[in-house]
Amino acid sequence: MQNVLIVGNVTKDVYLRMDNRKNHFETDQNNTKWLDLAFDGSAYKFYSRVSIYGGASVSLEVLSRFGAKASICNTTATFLDGQFIAKDTDVSYRYILCQDETVAYLSPSEINHTHFRVPESNPDWIYIDRSANVGARGAGEILSFLNLSQNTKLALFIGEHSNQYAGHMRDLIKRADIIFTDVDFDQKDERQVVRIGEDTIRYHDKVVTWNMQTKQDIMTRLTSHLTIAASILGAIILKKNSTEALLLARANVQGSNLSNSLNLDKLEANIADDYYLVQRHNPKGEKVYELEQNAKKLVAAGKGILAADESGGSIHKKFEGMGIPDDEAHRRDYRNIFFTTPDLEKYVNGVILFDETARQKADDGRDFVTFLRDRGIMAGIKVDQGLVNFENSDEKYTQGLDGLPDRLREYYEMGARFAKWRAAFELTDHSPSQMAIEKNAEILAQYALDCQNAGIVPIVEPELVYDGDYTIEQNIEFTGRILDALFDAMREKNVNLPGSVLKVNMVLAGKRQEKQSTPAEVGEATAQVLRQHVPSELAGVVFLSGGQSVTQATENLQAVTNEGPFPWPVTFSYARALQDPALQAWQGNNDNADAAREAFRLRLVANADALIKK
């Protein structure tokens, strides 16, 4: 057990959750309203009143739960039997007023100076945490002690109150073995720096994202950053590697609450199922290599991707229009036609499945995921859960992020190695709005990150819907805006672009536009938009058919191919444009299965041929 001496200030945060009535205020004789801050515990003006220790107490609790013997310098504070205990003289108070989504802080106008007292025995670590306000005298005393105790290591948090350019701070920075920071901080040796951003944590060449959106209570920025830093320091003390340290920190800050952080055993259980850590700055990492190799295989030259992922509603419409019973047996038989087509592996690299299909079995008893894999075809899965309206709007966003990491882990275990998520935009006089574009882009980026955390290649599909009355020039403008927002969001979340695939609409006039686009116009406009708005490091671009006719989708694909070469592979990911002739031949009767397979094969041959420049 290692000894850690924490240098910092203990605060006591008093959370006051206010209701929406107006009786928080009292009016004086001059008709001036004053906020009643009666902190007597019986004040009727607050839903709830709870006091939580913060500041250095957070570091003490986290490090104690990681097994360290921690104490706070110059205080009697302890963490005993799961409780933080301190005298009032050790604590400074602040009040946090919470009303709906609004939070206001009442803090002391000056931060107390943090005093250093030489410990009776030499600790293994001194940790100057983010709550500390160390002046020149205190820094000098710490440095003098460290010079006498060469075996004591120094951890240092550079926050917004740290004057990193002052001489005494520069000396501490030089002496530090590990530095945490949540501000711009210039340090030549990045190997000793942990950078805590608003939604990322970076250490060595590793990066993880974190967020507080799912938390039911309020955790202040100070508390969350202290939790992250202390978790990483605790992991370092336990000789965890940088990947484990980051994952433990993320699990702790996202899983703890106002009253408690998590014990080490629970944290280790929480991260046991993390298959993949986004390592944007470590392209040689084993998991990154696997992800990027799978992305390359998915868009390998001369082949496309079959989209066999129609939702229950979509396939119901198909079957209903032809009088085919919409039951599981007919749906299985329909998909089985495509998967058993001769030479399928010559024309497709991957197949996107619906959840139901991924769980169904081929004629020989193998599940379809295994059946396809044994044919050399990668199985993928549609993971979005359809479109819903934004509140008070006729614009839509795609739902399905809730529980997505767990579903992705299950799909990975089933053998799926890529996934797809569609966001749809209708182009009208008033849409898509910038709000709808940015919100959907953020959702797509989060989905992509969740996929990569599970070892699954994300296909991100922002679709400008073809069924509209707009010109090709309008399509150029809005598809470009949508792609810009998407890749900004993906970069913001540190999504690995070489391990990602874009599925996108071709650029053409809307279906209800009087002047339709020729293949040559589609090829030129699509190539223009892709080159201007798609990052070169992306694994590849695949096109959706999006309601185009069978021949139209093939002719337009040929036109785009003719505009190449491009920085990335360009291919097709069609559903209807590949399947419709087979559906017409099958008619729900398995006696027609061979004819349906041949009709499907002919469309595969035609579209594979359209990938050759002419």
Side-chain angles (χ1 to χ4, degrees):
M1 180 182 294
Q2 295 215 351
N3 277 301
V4 182
L5 180 64
I6 302 166
V7 179
N9 293 339
V10 179
T11 63
K12 195 168 187 180
D13 293 336
V14 182
Y15 287 80
L16 301 167
R17 185 170 293 282
M18 305 172 71
D19 63 23
N20 290 313
R21 296 170 296 173
K22 302 301 181 185
N23 56 6
H24 308 301
F25 296 90
E26 294 185 354
T27 305
D28 65 14
Q29 66 274 15
N30 298 318
N31 206 34
T32 300
K33 290 184 180 295
W34 297 87
L35 182 63
D36 180 2
L37 296 179
F39 303 127
D40 59 3
S42 63
Y44 68 92
K45 299 178 173 60
F46 306 103
Y47 277 140
S48 62
R49 177 179 187 270
V50 59
S51 300
I52 304 296
Y53 286 104
S57 70
V58 176
S59 301
L60 177 68
E61 178 185 341
V62 171
L63 288 166
S64 298
R65 291 189 185 277
F66 271 69
K69 186 177 180 181
S71 59
I72 301 174
C73 185
N74 210 36
T75 74
T76 60
T78 59
F79 186 76
L80 186 63
D81 297 329
Q83 296 292 324
F84 178 79
I85 303 169
K87 293 181 178 179
D88 286 345
T89 53
D90 297 332
V91 177
S92 60
Y93 284 79
R94 69 173 179 171
Y95 298 95
I96 302 174
L97 310 181
C98 316
Q99 184 172 2
D100 296 330
E101 300 300 320
T102 304
V103 179
Y105 299 92
L106 299 178
S107 303
S109 57
E110 293 186 7
I111 301 174
N112 292 337
H113 275 285
T114 307
H115 299 288
F116 177 76
R117 184 171 61 187
V118 175
E120 294 179 1
S121 59
N122 293 346
D124 298 290
W125 285 84
I126 288 179
Y127 173 34
I128 304 175
D129 81 4
R130 192 180 185 279
S131 68
N133 181 24
V134 177
R137 178 178 176 180
E141 291 172 342
I142 293 171
L143 284 167
S144 296
F145 173 78
L146 290 170
N147 288 335
L148 295 173
S149 178
Q150 292 293 322
N151 292 328
T152 298
K153 296 181 178 180
L154 175 64
L156 174 62
F157 201 127
I158 300 293
E160 57 192 9
H161 300 298
S162 307
N163 186 353
Q164 64 199 53
Y165 302 107
H168 65 282
M169 288 305 298
R170 287 201 300 269
D171 291 337
L172 286 173
I173 290 168
K174 289 178 183 177
R175 176 61 173 78
D177 296 274
I178 184 75
I179 298 171
F180 304 96
T181 185
D182 54 12
V183 295
D184 289 336
F185 170 66
D186 183 21
Q187 175 71 3
K188 291 182 179 178
D189 188 358
E190 283 292 318
R191 292 173 298 176
Q192 67 174 162
V193 179
V194 176
R195 297 191 180 274
I196 304 172
E198 292 306 310
D199 58 4
T200 60
I201 317 168
R202 300 171 183 268
Y203 178 37
H204 286 185
D205 52 3
K206 308 294 192 304
V207 182
V208 296
T209 63
W210 66 286
N211 70 74
M212 310 292 285
Q213 295 174 0
T214 59
K215 297 184 72 66
Q216 298 301 310
D217 51 17
I218 295 172
M219 181 180 284
T220 66
R221 184 170 182 266
L222 173 63
T223 299
S224 62
H225 289 195
L226 283 168
T227 301
I228 291 170
S231 299
I232 292 175
L233 179 57
I236 291 171
I237 291 172
L238 292 173
K239 302 189 183 305
K240 303 284 188 181
N241 63 38
S242 55
T243 297
E244 292 174 304
L246 287 174
L247 292 175
L248 288 168
R250 178 172 67 182
N252 208 2
V253 74
Q254 293 184 169
S256 57
N257 56 42
L258 281 176
S259 302
N260 292 290
S261 62
L262 301 181
N263 285 323
L264 180 61
D265 56 352
K266 186 169 184 178
L267 289 172
E268 289 180 328
N270 284 347
I271 71 169
D273 291 333
D274 279 354
Y275 291 96
Y276 173 73
L277 174 66
V278 176
Q279 304 172 87
R280 186 176 178 188
H281 302 292
N282 182 21
K284 302 298 184 183
E286 179 182 349
K287 290 297 184 182
V288 176
Y289 179 80
E290 178 186 347
L291 186 85
E292 293 179 1
Q293 289 303 303
N294 283 340
K296 288 179 181 178
K297 292 176 184 176
L298 200 53
V299 291
K303 302 180 185 181
I305 299 171
L306 168 62
D309 61 334
E310 299 95 334
S311 64
S314 297
I315 204 163
H316 178 76
K317 290 179 182 177
K318 281 187 176 185
F319 283 10
E320 185 179 44
M322 300 186 68
I324 301 171
D326 182 16
D327 54 41
E328 184 178 355
H330 279 84
R331 292 193 294 269
R332 190 218 76 96
D333 290 348
Y334 176 58
R335 266 63 182 262
N336 187 62
I337 288 171
F338 305 119
F339 306 158
T340 56
T341 294
D343 296 330
L344 178 64
E345 62 275 11
K346 292 183 179 180
Y347 305 108
V348 299
N349 297 308
V351 176
I352 311 171
L353 304 173
F354 192 56
D355 179 89
E356 177 189 69
T357 315
R359 302 177 192 279
Q360 290 173 329
K361 297 186 182 300
D363 294 338
D364 62 4
R366 285 177 291 173
D367 61 82
F368 278 137
V369 174
T370 303
F371 181 83
L372 290 167
R373 184 188 63 202
D374 291 347
R375 294 195 67 176
I377 299 169
M378 196 181 305
I381 192 82
K382 166 189 164 73
V383 295
D384 70 72
Q385 296 177 332
L387 303 171
V388 293
N389 282 18
F390 287 106
E391 187 175 357
N392 301 320
S393 172
D394 58 358
E395 294 191 276
K396 301 181 185 300
Y397 69 94
T398 309
Q399 61 184 346
L401 288 180
D402 291 343
L404 180 60
D406 290 337
R407 288 189 284 129
L408 288 166
R409 282 193 284 268
E410 180 187 8
Y411 290 138
Y412 187 96
E413 287 296 321
M414 291 168 61
R417 288 298 178 266
F418 73 98
K420 192 204 81 169
W421 183 289
R422 173 179 178 260
F425 302 92
E426 294 183 358
L427 181 45
T428 69
D429 291 340
H430 62 277
S431 64
S433 66
Q434 194 60 28
M435 178 277 295
I437 291 173
E438 291 178 357
K439 290 290 185 183
N440 275 289
E442 183 179 345
I443 292 169
L444 274 167
Q446 184 60 52
Y447 141 80
L449 186 61
D450 287 346
C451 282
Q452 294 186 342
N453 284 338
I456 287 177
V457 175
I459 294 182
V460 288
E461 181 183 349
E463 177 184 356
L464 191 65
V465 177
Y466 180 40
D467 187 19
D469 183 10
Y470 52 83
T471 65
I472 192 171
E473 289 77 18
Q474 289 174 301
N475 192 320
I476 290 172
E477 176 190 349
F478 278 92
T479 298
R481 284 172 54 183
I482 291 166
L483 292 176
D484 285 346
L486 171 63
F487 290 112
D488 283 347
M490 291 176 72
R491 288 191 182 96
E492 187 69 23
K493 290 187 179 293
N494 289 292
V495 174
N496 182 291
L497 293 182
S500 306
V501 173
L502 170 69
K503 182 171 180 176
V504 70
N505 53 275
M506 293 179 185
V507 180
L508 69 172
K511 197 171 188 176
R512 292 184 281 116
Q513 170 69 207
E514 182 178 354
K515 184 181 182 300
Q516 287 294 292
S517 307
T518 66
E521 291 171 336
V522 174
E524 183 179 354
T526 302
Q528 171 191 329
V529 169
L530 294 182
R531 288 192 172 104
Q532 290 179 356
H533 301 281
V534 177
S536 59
E537 62 265 39
L538 196 73
V541 177
V542 300
F543 294 112
L544 53 93
S545 51
Q548 299 179 64
S549 71
V550 169
T551 55
Q552 183 185 13
T554 305
E555 290 171 356
N556 286 336
L557 178 63
Q558 181 69 70
V560 175
T561 300
N562 291 343
E563 295 291 327
F566 299 97
W568 0 250
V570 170
T571 186
F572 61 89
S573 177
Y574 292 164
R576 187 184 311 170
L578 291 174
Q579 296 179 23
D580 271 8
L583 179 62
Q584 296 296 327
W586 178 55
Q587 296 286 324
N589 184 348
N590 285 337
D591 290 341
N592 301 325
D594 286 341
R597 291 187 186 95
E598 179 59 16
F600 174 57
R601 191 189 68 83
L602 291 175
R603 295 319 310 159
L604 290 173
V605 171
N607 283 284
D609 185 62
L611 298 174
I612 302 171
K613 188 172 182 177
K614 296 180 177 61

